[in-house]
Every structure is written in structure tokens, then in C-alpha cells.
Amino acid sequence: MASLDRVKVLVLGDSGVGKSSLVHLLCQNQVLGNPSWTVGCSVDVRVQDYKEGTPEEKTYYIELWDVGGSVGSASSVKSTRAVFYNSVNGIILVHDLTNKKSSQNLYRWSLEALNKDSSPTGVIVSNGDYDREQFAENPVPLLLIGTKFDQIPENKRNEVLTRTGFLSEDFNAEEINLDCTNPRYLAAGTSNAVKLSRFFDKVIEKRYFTRDPSQMTAFTDRKRFNFKSLHYD
Amino acid sequence: MFTSQVLFFGFGWLFFMRQLFKDYEVRQYVVQVVFSVTFAFSCTMFELIIFEILGALSSSSRYFHWKLNLYVILLVLIFVVPFYIGYFVVSNIRLLHRQRLLFACMVWFTFMYFFWKLGDPFPILSPKHGILSIEQLISRVGVIGVTLMALLSGFGAVNCPYTYMSYFLRNVTDSDILALERRLLQTMDMIVSKKKRIAMTRRQMYQRGEDQNKQTGFWGMIKSVTSTQTGSENLSLIQQEVDALEELSRQLFLETVDLQATKERIEYSKTFQGKYFNFLGYFFSIYCVWKIFMVKFWSQHISFILVGIIIVTSIRGLLITLTKFFYAISSSKSSNVIVLVLAQIMGMYFVSSVLLMRMSMPLEYRSIVTEVLGELQFNFYHRWFDVIFLVSALSSILFLYLAHKQAPEKHMTL
């Protein structure tokens, strides 16, 4: 398998939000029975039919790289993690709907993955601030997934959905809220399944069909305004 | 006096919010309050010792504060914290969720039973005292705390020089790290290609299975059985290879993290702060060697100054170690339980520090400690501490020696 043929999507988020369960559900269409700590990175492969149902239908293998850890890890862990962020074609940001901090940490996760400078030992070069303009023109497609949806009581659902709505605006990404132990959320025909397919199709398109070099500029070139989002506490 | 307690409480609160619970949402404020209260009263005890030495406040008010502090801390350590630990552990288990309180009380009674039994094998009490006296409780808390302290000090005494002294730091270059990273990525690539094969084979089997469901007749059935058999045999073989490769990738990841950490430590040792700690490391290693051989040479006063330094560094060291430990093992489910366990350990640690400090204090100040804590057999605690300290230090030396020997061999194979 030459490296030219790969489609690589990162799955990022805090420890315990359910990334491994999510990846297992996306790739094996089965619920993960015994989740355990992810050490380092675990990869799985999803078979995706690009443009399903049309005459141009083609099968692609999408690699989902589930990187474990937390944003507060030691810098030695962060530098080692950075080797996995090379040549990424899409990012899935996972947060726990019952834990607000995990949603807030997603800003730091996305910065960590996208601002990676391509120096030998993975030194991260950024000023650490969140810049909304950057996400609006970001060449890498993002998808926001909220887990443990079933653990939110009915009366709190609206509040949570408003909050995640702001989050998806900030990232300029689609959002899906589900429960990783219930495959019903991603059953064929649901709006979630449609959003998922759209995301993967977009990733494949950007990878293979739009090779516009001007779109591939890295984040570090854009240090314009520091527009801090006012939506979250 | 009370203002300083409020101050300590505030500090404990802040530490909790900023450091420990940085990544979690605080939903049960009880946990935070209990942690801060334990921290506040533990620090007050140290403050009282210092006041004792300096002669601040009147003797009777000091005595009053000592007693008050002691009662509160014992109440917290023996009643409040274990009960809440039991309560949160039980709440995590889904089955027992309905009757949480009942099971929490049961857990607490079990704890009290073992706690009481702990006192039997140790010669800590004179038989004069009744069942529910303060001395009974303190003696048991003291035993647990002293064991803990001795274990930690023994390990710390050996680990501290090992970590900070540049003599022991292995030489790590950028190319070593790059080579390991390259190996890691190659392993990940192999895993990916094997998983693609599995996915492809599974898909083909699924599609062929659908076609074959339409095939009827004798030969059709035979064909379908044989082809799926070889297909699934192949699959399980590849799956085993994938499992082995994944294990390898985890090990490579951990080794790379280790090398990066060593490299950072080398860089840190070249800075000014690093050199300062290096010097401290030498100094403390000499002091620790002295303690190991128990030379009763210098005057009590010098050792008391050292006690002051040790208090400050041990509080700081304890908080740092607790934080690291907390990050390593907690998750959003168990974070409450772990914080409470840490609060318990911290409380016991501080109570036993007071007990042991009596040994290092000049004679004239020992009286109040003896008076407040009643007639405990202090000599027992000192001897017990020394024994456990020795055992812990020696086993740490052995452990670190083995780890140090193994490491260079691993990297030779690059």
C-alpha cells in the first residue's frame, strides 16, 4: 500500500469520552464489549463507498487513527503523539456530552493537531490562541461527535444541544450526538448516517479530487485577529 | 489562628480546582469541601508545631487549638472520608444504585472493623485506656500513616538523587528518538495494511455469502462451506498478527515517550534551575545516606532546621506526586473516589509526620506533643519507621538498579 493511496482521519478527544467505542462502531458496525485504556494510538479501517448509489461509486478504505491521552499530558507524551498527526485528511473531534470540560478541551486538541509544524521531533509551533477565522477556511474537514447522549436527562437536552450548536459553529463542522453502545443512532437512513457519509465523502473528495495547492497552506501562516469566541464559559 | 485555617482551606480549594480537577466537571461539591477541610487541618498542625517552637500565643490557647485540631482531623479521617469513599464506590456500581446509603454504611462498618483489628498485633498501647479514647484512634491512624511515610520516604530517598543527578542520566540523541519514531510509524503502517486485508476479505466473504445463498443444490452447499472455511482461517491468522503488532506499537510508543522525557531532563539539567536541583540532589543524598546509617552525631537544632525544610519539600512533593498519580489513573467515573482516597492518605501522612517529628525536635518542645497525644509508645513508632524506611530504600535501590541495567540493552538493538 503506497502512501499515496491512504486516506487518514484522526479521532481526537479527552480520555474516557468513548473514542475507541466510536471507532469500533464505525468500522465493525458492532458495539465494543470491553473498552480499555488506549495506549499510544490504535488504528482501524472503515470501508466507505464513495458516492454510493451513483455510477461513479468506488470503494475506499478510510483509516481511523484513535490517539489516546489528554490535553494536559506531559510534554514528552505530546511530542511523541505528534508523529501521528502527519498528513491528515480529516479530523473527528469527540466530546462527552455529560462533561463540559471535554467539550472545551476540543479547542486545544484541534490546535494541537492542526498547528503541528513539520519539524523532526514534532515540536508544536503555535501561539495557542483560538482563531475563528482559521477554522472557517480550514482545508481539513472536521466532524464533531458528542457521546453518551443517552445519559442526558430529557429536561437538559435542549440546553446541551444549544451548547453543541455553538461548538459546531466555531469549528465550522457538522455535529452528531449519539450513544456508542447503541448502533441504532447510526442506522442506515437516519440523519446521523447521512451526515457521516457526507463527511467521509468530503474527506475523500478533498484528498483525491481537489488538488489545489493554494488550499494546503498550514495554520501557522495565518495569524490575523484573535477573535475569542464568547459562547462558552 | 482561625484566619490561617481559612487561608489553608482556600489554598486547598484552589489546588483542587486548578490542578487536580482541571479536566473534569465538579458535580459533587462535597468532595471538594472534604478535600479542602482535610488539607486545611493538616497544615494547621504543622503551623502549631512552629508556633510551639517560636512560643507564639499563650500556652493554654495552643493546647486548646491542638486538641480541637486533633479531634476534627480524627473525625474527618475516620468517619467522614471513609464513608464518602464507600458511598461513591457504591454509586459507581450500577447494581447497587438503589440502596446506596445502606451499602455505604455496610462498607464503613467493615472498614471500622479492620481498622480496629489493626491495633492488635502492635504493642502500641498501655492497657490503662478504655475503648473509645483518643489514644486508641490516634495509635491506629499513626501506624498506617507511619508505614506509608516510611515507604514513600525510602523510595524518595533513593529516587531523588537518581532522577536529578546527571551522573545517572543516559545519553539520548535526536537520532535515537527519530529512529524509534520511524519504527513506530512503520509498525502502524503494517497494522493498517493488515486491517485493510481483513476488511477486504470480510467484505468479499459477505458478498459471496449473499450470492451463495441463492445457489441451490448439493454442490452449491459444499462449495460455500469450503470457501468460507479457508476465508475465516486466513482471517484469524491475520488477526493474530495484528494483535501482536498492536502490542509492539504500544511498547514502541512507551519507549519513545521515555526517551523524550529523558532528553527533556537532560536539557533541564543544563539550565540554572536544573543545576540548583542537582546540587540539592547531592546534598539530600548525603543526608539520606546518613539517615540510613543512623549516625546520631549532630546537635538537635541543626536537625530541626532540616525538619523544617523537609516539611515544606515533603508537602510540595506529596502534592506533586498526588497530582501525577491522579492524572495517570483517573477517569470521569472514578475521579471522585480517587480524590477522596488521596485526601485520606494526605491526612494520615500529616498526622504521622507530627508523631515522627517529635523525634527530631529538641527536648524542650517535645512536652506538648506528648501531653496532647497522650501516652503513646513513641519509641515503637520510631523503630517501626526506621525498619520500613530501610526495607523500602533497599528494595528501591534494587529495583532502580535492575531498571537501569535493562534500559541500555534495549536501545542497543536499534
Side-chain angles (χ1 to χ4, degrees):
Chain A
M1 302 267 165
S3 60
L4 298 169
D5 286 344
R6 44 184 350 164
V7 183
K8 180 168 157 185
V9 173
L10 280 184
V11 179
L12 298 178
D14 281 353
S15 306
V17 296
K19 298 186 293 292
S20 308
S21 305
L22 176 72
V23 167
H24 199 258
L25 187 62
L26 289 178
C27 299
Q28 320 277 353
N29 287 319
Q30 272 177 352
V31 176
L32 183 59
N34 53 337
S36 62
W37 288 109
T38 318
V39 176
C41 173
S42 91
V43 194
D44 213 341
V45 168
R46 176 184 165 95
V47 179
Q48 175 77 8
D49 293 317
Y50 177 58
K51 291 215 169 141
E52 189 168 7
T54 67
E56 299 142 358
E57 176 175 336
K58 192 173 171 203
T59 309
Y60 285 94
Y61 295 97
I62 304 193
E63 305 164 24
L64 293 173
W65 289 57
D66 162 18
V67 177
S70 69
V71 267
S73 296
S75 56
S76 53
V77 177
K78 280 196 185 164
S79 329
T80 316
R81 256 197 326 236
V83 303
F84 299 128
Y85 300 155
N86 282 322
S87 56
V88 156
N89 304 117
I91 301 186
I92 298 183
L93 295 169
V94 187
H95 65 122
D96 181 351
L97 292 169
T98 61
N99 181 354
K100 266 194 229 169
K101 286 260 173 76
S102 68
S103 318
Q104 289 169 7
N105 284 337
L106 284 182
Y107 295 100
R108 290 164 68 186
W109 272 114
S110 53
L111 283 176
E112 186 179 322
L114 292 169
N115 277 2
K116 180 197 174 289
D117 207 41
S118 50
S119 54
T121 43
V123 170
I124 297 169
V125 178
S126 81
N127 60 359
D129 288 329
Y130 165 68
D131 185 341
R132 206 171 191 217
E133 299 281 323
Q134 295 177 352
F135 281 104
E137 305 167 33
N138 181 16
V140 178
L142 298 176
L143 178 67
L144 196 65
I145 296 193
T147 57
K148 307 195 187 163
F149 189 55
D150 55 319
Q151 291 179 22
I152 311 255
E154 286 286 342
N155 52 346
K156 294 258 176 91
R157 285 218 171 142
N158 273 333
E159 188 189 313
V160 167
L161 288 175
T162 340
R163 181 163 56 88
T164 54
F166 285 138
L167 211 65
S168 72
E169 259 181 51
D170 284 343
F171 285 117
N172 191 25
E174 289 275 13
E175 56 157 344
I176 295 178
N177 294 318
L178 48 66
D179 166 25
C180 297
T181 59
N182 190 347
R184 180 172 63 87
Y185 284 92
L186 291 177
T190 55
S191 65
N192 287 340
V194 169
K195 285 186 198 168
L196 200 64
S197 294
R198 258 217 309 258
F199 169 71
F200 284 126
D201 283 353
K202 194 167 154 195
V203 167
I204 295 173
E205 237 178 73
K206 280 249 159 90
R207 171 75 179 82
Y208 287 109
F209 300 113
T210 43
R211 290 200 152 266
D212 195 356
S214 68
Q215 283 192 4
M216 297 296 186
T217 34
F219 258 28
T220 47
D221 295 345
R222 301 160 186 250
K223 293 213 171 108
R224 284 185 263 154
F225 340 97
N226 252 339
F227 188 98
K228 290 219 159 67
S229 173
L230 299 165
H231 298 305
Y232 58 94
D233 11 282
Chain B
M1 191 68 225
F2 289 114
T3 47
S4 61
Q5 282 190 334
V6 170
L7 244 149
F8 285 131
F9 182 84
F11 185 74
W13 186 276
L14 272 174
F15 173 72
F16 185 91
M17 287 300 291
R18 292 286 171 78
Q19 290 274 72
L20 286 182
F21 256 48
K22 226 175 5 167
D23 295 328
Y24 298 104
E25 210 175 309
V26 180
R27 256 169 301 149
Q28 312 268 26
Y29 280 101
V30 172
V31 176
Q32 202 171 0
V33 168
V34 167
F35 183 83
S36 308
V37 163
T38 316
F39 186 76
F41 280 97
S42 312
C43 288
T44 322
M45 273 202 298
F46 284 132
E47 199 192 2
L48 280 172
I49 289 192
I50 298 189
F51 278 3
E52 190 62 39
I53 312 287
L54 296 178
L57 302 182
S58 65
S59 166
S60 55
S61 88
R62 279 201 302 254
Y63 187 72
F64 164 73
H65 279 291
W66 263 114
K67 277 282 183 197
L68 174 72
N69 217 16
L70 215 54
Y71 280 125
V72 172
I73 260 232
L74 282 178
L75 189 77
V76 169
L77 279 183
I78 299 178
F79 294 102
V80 178
V81 179
F83 176 74
Y84 273 115
I85 291 181
Y87 179 77
F88 281 114
V89 165
V90 167
S91 331
N92 271 343
I93 307 176
R94 283 201 184 171
L95 285 171
L96 308 172
H97 201 72
R98 299 282 169 79
Q99 292 115 339
R100 285 186 289 207
L101 269 172
L102 179 67
F103 280 106
C105 288
M106 275 170 54
V107 169
W108 186 76
F109 278 117
T110 332
F111 166 77
M112 280 310 283
Y113 176 72
F114 281 112
F115 187 69
W116 212 257
K117 276 290 182 188
L118 197 62
D120 291 343
F122 295 106
I124 32 182
L125 288 179
S126 38
K128 286 189 270 180
H129 295 103
I131 291 271
L132 277 179
S133 60
I134 279 278
E135 284 79 12
Q136 295 265 4
L137 298 175
I138 296 186
S139 57
R140 284 171 172 80
V141 171
V143 168
I144 303 178
V146 165
T147 317
L148 219 74
M149 265 196 85
L151 282 173
L152 288 176
S153 318
F155 180 69
V158 174
N159 195 33
C160 173
Y162 179 74
T163 316
Y164 285 117
M165 279 164 53
S166 38
Y167 179 70
F168 290 113
L169 283 178
R170 299 187 300 264
N171 212 6
V172 170
T173 61
D174 273 346
S175 53
D176 290 338
I177 297 183
L178 270 180
L180 254 190
E181 284 177 354
R182 216 176 331 124
R183 263 184 82 188
L184 179 60
L185 283 178
Q186 277 172 1
T187 317
M188 300 304 295
D189 286 345
M190 289 200 291
I191 295 177
V192 166
S193 60
K194 288 206 195 298
K195 286 211 165 163
K196 283 187 183 166
R197 271 181 65 192
I198 293 181
M200 197 160 52
T201 320
R202 256 215 219 115
R203 198 172 216 218
Q204 285 173 355
M205 273 171 53
Y206 181 69
Q207 284 173 342
R208 226 181 301 137
E210 280 191 338
D211 292 338
Q212 247 135 27
N213 277 336
K214 302 178 193 150
Q215 271 197 13
T216 48
F218 190 57
W219 290 116
M221 281 202 305
I222 299 268
K223 251 201 284 186
S224 64
V225 164
T226 47
S227 55
T228 41
Q229 276 245 329
T230 44
S232 49
E233 264 172 27
N234 264 342
L235 270 191
S236 58
L237 238 127
I238 306 184
Q239 186 61 43
Q240 279 176 13
E241 291 173 17
V242 164
D243 291 336
L245 281 176
E246 282 184 334
E247 185 57 44
L248 177 64
S249 78
R250 280 191 279 269
Q251 280 180 19
L252 286 174
F253 181 80
L254 291 175
E255 273 182 45
T256 317
V257 170
D258 201 34
L259 279 193
Q260 287 272 9
T262 314
K263 177 174 161 222
E264 281 169 15
R265 243 185 282 148
I266 293 179
E267 283 175 12
Y268 180 75
S269 72
K270 295 187 186 140
T271 65
F272 187 64
Q273 219 182 5
K275 292 206 168 103
Y276 167 70
F277 275 114
N278 191 22
F279 169 72
L280 266 191
Y282 280 110
F283 180 70
F284 271 113
S285 53
I286 296 177
Y287 177 69
C288 295
V289 166
W290 172 56
K291 269 212 79 112
I292 292 180
F293 292 105
M294 289 187 280
V295 172
K296 289 207 191 284
F297 192 57
W298 296 96
S299 76
Q300 304 264 24
H301 294 276
I302 293 189
S303 70
F304 178 70
I305 295 177
L306 280 171
V307 161
I309 299 180
I310 289 181
I311 290 179
V312 173
T313 45
S314 81
I315 293 185
R316 182 179 168 274
L318 183 77
L319 289 181
I320 291 180
T321 317
L322 290 186
T323 317
K324 268 197 244 175
F325 198 62
F326 183 76
Y327 278 150
I329 61 175
S330 75
S331 69
S332 43
K333 256 193 153 187
S334 59
S335 52
N336 285 331
V337 173
I338 295 184
V339 167
L340 287 174
V341 168
L342 293 184
Q344 176 90 352
I345 294 180
M346 181 174 69
M348 289 189 164
Y349 186 86
F350 285 170
V351 165
S352 16
S353 316
V354 169
L355 279 181
L356 289 172
M357 220 175 304
R358 188 184 156 277
M359 173 172 67
S360 317
M361 288 201 307
L363 272 162
E364 47 277 25
Y365 306 120
R366 287 191 196 176
S367 55
I368 186 143
V369 182
T370 327
E371 214 181 298
V372 169
L373 295 179
E375 276 180 47
L376 297 177
Q377 303 277 50
F378 286 106
N379 289 327
F380 162 74
Y381 286 110
H382 299 154
R383 281 199 315 267
W384 180 248
F385 179 87
D386 290 336
V387 163
I388 300 283
F389 180 87
L390 210 61
V391 166
S392 168
L394 289 176
S395 39
S396 313
I397 290 180
L398 184 69
F399 174 74
L400 283 175
Y401 174 71
L402 286 175
H404 190 71
K405 277 294 295 277
Q406 251 198 5
E409 285 169 3
K410 260 196 294 185
H411 297 297
M412 292 295 200
T413 57
L414 280 179

